[in-house]
């Protein structure tokens, strides 16, 4: 018998566990219980448990840290349509990505010896000495996040205030300690970097996005490993069996699922740091829309 209670219970493990519990052919399913039905119910339970209203909102939050590239300046003037950009210092810039030249957003594919190459998006001429600032892709910083789920950002311990994209880039040299999100990219205002040899450190708190399971090797990481079988496996069995009362009783799976879910909710609420008393405003309370 395959051991499904291993250190990394995957989507394939869960799917086969459900089929085995329902006395269906493992790995193939049947006409009565096809694989897509099992997969759909597993993802349904995954979403329901992660978004269970009994769990503190803070229990669904995660945080991530990353470093900012220092602001720099253009080392030479740029003409419209330029395909390379010389910077005074690009050592801490990403090897490829996006940058902000005043209010002009550029994309580049290379970063070698203080020169950005493969540049597109230079729509206006720029003078030597103008500000150049790195932008940060949210999907690169954290794969389980979208802009609306950002709860809090600080740079070197200083809280950053959300500002609309239009306001921030029009005053990029004026507003301190602000940030915005434009087309999936984070942009920070001035005093967002320390300069010198010590890159600024960002702490971002956000509500995680649940990514549906699809590939065999996918791991439901937002549910701890020890709860994946009793919650996801039994929960899927319960939902499938309940929809076909002639096949088997679903009461046992339902009881096991509810017992495990109750324990999981208590665990999440007790273990998570209670952020409800933190001294920081929510962007949802301060702004009508993101």
């Amino acid at each position: 018998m395959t051991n499904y209670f291993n250190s990394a219970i995957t989507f394939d493990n869960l799917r086969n566990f459900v089929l085995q519990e329902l006395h269906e052919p493992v790995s193939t399913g049947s006409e009565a219980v096809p694989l897509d039905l099992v997969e759909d119910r597993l993802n349904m339970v995954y979403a329901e448990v992660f978004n269970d209203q009994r769990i503190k909102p803070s229990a669904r939050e995660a945080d991530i840290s990353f470093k900012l590239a220092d602001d720099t300046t253009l080392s030479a003037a740029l003409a419209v349509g330029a395909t390379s950009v010389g910077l005074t210092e690009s050592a801490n810039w990403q090897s490829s990505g996006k940058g902000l030249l005043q209010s002009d957003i550029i994309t580049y594919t290379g970063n070698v010896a203080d020169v950005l190459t493969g540049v597109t998006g230079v729509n206006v001429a720029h003078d030597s000495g103008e500000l150049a600032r790195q932008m940060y892709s949210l999907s690169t910083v954290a794969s389980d996040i979208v802009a609306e789920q950002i709860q809090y950002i600080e740079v070197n311990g200083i809280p950053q205030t959300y500002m609309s994209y239009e306001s921030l880039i029009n005053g990029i040299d004026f507003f301190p300690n602000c940030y915005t999100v434009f087309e999936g990219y984070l942009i920070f205002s001035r005093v967002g970097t320390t300069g010198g040899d010590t890159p600024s450190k960002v702490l971002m708190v956000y509500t995680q996005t649940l990514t549906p399971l699809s590939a065999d090797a996918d791991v439901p990481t937002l549910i701890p490993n020890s709860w994946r079988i009793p919650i996801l496996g039994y929960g899927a069995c319960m939902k499938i069996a309940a929809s076909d009362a002639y096949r088997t009783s679903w009461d046992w799976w339902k009881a096991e699922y509810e017992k495990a879910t109750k324990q999981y909710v208590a665990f999440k609420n007790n273990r998570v740091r209670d952020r409800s008393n933190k001294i920081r405003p929510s962007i949802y309370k301060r702004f009508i829309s993101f």
Side-chain angles (χ1 to χ4, degrees):
M1 176 180 176
T2 303
N3 178 16
Y4 296 118
F5 296 88
N6 54 52
S7 60
I9 298 174
T10 65
F11 192 30
D12 186 48
N13 294 149
L14 289 166
R15 184 175 55 201
N16 285 333
F17 176 84
V18 171
L19 290 170
Q20 183 171 283
E21 284 285 300
L22 296 174
H23 306 291
E24 298 290 346
V26 173
S27 300
T28 62
S30 67
E31 183 177 353
V33 185
L35 291 180
D36 58 353
L37 174 63
V38 177
E39 293 171 352
D40 177 73
R41 295 304 183 268
L42 282 168
N43 275 308
M44 184 184 297
V45 175
Y46 191 22
E48 287 177 356
V49 173
F50 179 68
N51 294 298
D52 193 306
Q53 294 303 307
R54 295 171 294 177
I55 298 178
K56 294 177 183 178
S58 54
R60 290 189 288 272
E61 289 182 353
D63 56 73
I64 192 166
S65 299
F66 60 97
K67 294 181 179 181
L68 296 183
D70 291 332
D71 288 349
T72 188
T73 57
L74 297 178
S75 60
L78 293 178
V80 174
T83 58
S84 63
V85 174
L87 300 178
T88 303
E89 173 63 61
S90 71
N92 293 324
W93 278 50
Q94 297 169 350
S95 58
S96 63
K98 288 183 181 290
L100 189 68
L101 309 182
Q102 296 295 90
S103 59
D104 207 10
I105 293 178
I106 63 166
T107 301
Y108 64 96
T109 60
N111 174 13
V112 180
D114 297 334
V115 176
L116 305 181
T117 59
V119 173
T120 57
V122 180
N123 297 316
V124 296
H126 295 276
D127 296 327
S128 176
E130 284 187 12
L131 177 72
R133 176 165 291 153
Q134 177 82 75
M135 297 169 60
Y136 303 88
S137 169
L138 276 177
S139 61
T140 300
V141 170
S143 60
D144 57 348
I145 184 176
V146 294
E148 291 79 4
Q149 295 168 309
I150 297 173
Q151 297 295 327
Y152 173 71
I153 293 181
E154 67 180 30
V155 177
N156 292 337
I158 300 174
Q160 305 293 295
T161 302
Y162 172 77
M163 180 176 286
S164 70
Y165 164 73
E166 295 83 1
S167 297
L168 190 144
I169 67 167
N170 286 331
I172 198 72
D173 292 322
F174 177 75
F175 296 110
N177 304 319
C178 295
Y179 77 94
T180 192
V181 180
F182 178 72
E183 295 185 351
Y185 281 80
L186 276 167
I187 307 174
F188 293 89
S189 68
R190 74 181 181 92
V191 196
T193 56
T194 58
D197 296 328
T198 306
S200 298
K201 295 181 180 178
V202 176
L203 170 65
M204 180 168 66
V205 178
Y206 63 97
T207 304
Q208 296 168 289
T209 296
L210 187 146
T211 302
L213 306 169
S214 57
D216 288 353
D218 284 352
V219 177
T221 54
L222 298 183
I223 301 293
N225 196 67
S226 58
W227 271 285
R228 289 173 194 166
I229 291 296
I231 290 179
L232 301 180
Y234 292 152
C237 288
M238 175 262 295
K239 287 183 177 293
I240 294 171
S243 66
D244 189 352
Y246 296 102
R247 294 183 58 80
T248 184
S249 172
W250 57 280
D251 293 339
W252 186 84
W253 289 310
K254 181 175 184 292
E256 290 299 308
Y257 163 76
E258 291 181 343
K259 180 175 67 175
T261 301
K262 183 178 180 180
Q263 293 172 348
Y264 170 68
V265 169
F267 168 81
K268 292 290 285 185
N269 287 342
N270 290 334
R271 289 291 298 273
V272 73
R273 182 157 60 99
D274 187 357
R275 297 183 185 275
S276 62
N277 296 320
K278 54 189 172 292
I279 305 176
R280 65 169 172 81
S282 167
I283 61 172
Y284 300 111
K285 294 179 181 177
R286 298 185 61 187
F287 300 95
I288 296 175
S289 61
F290 196 89

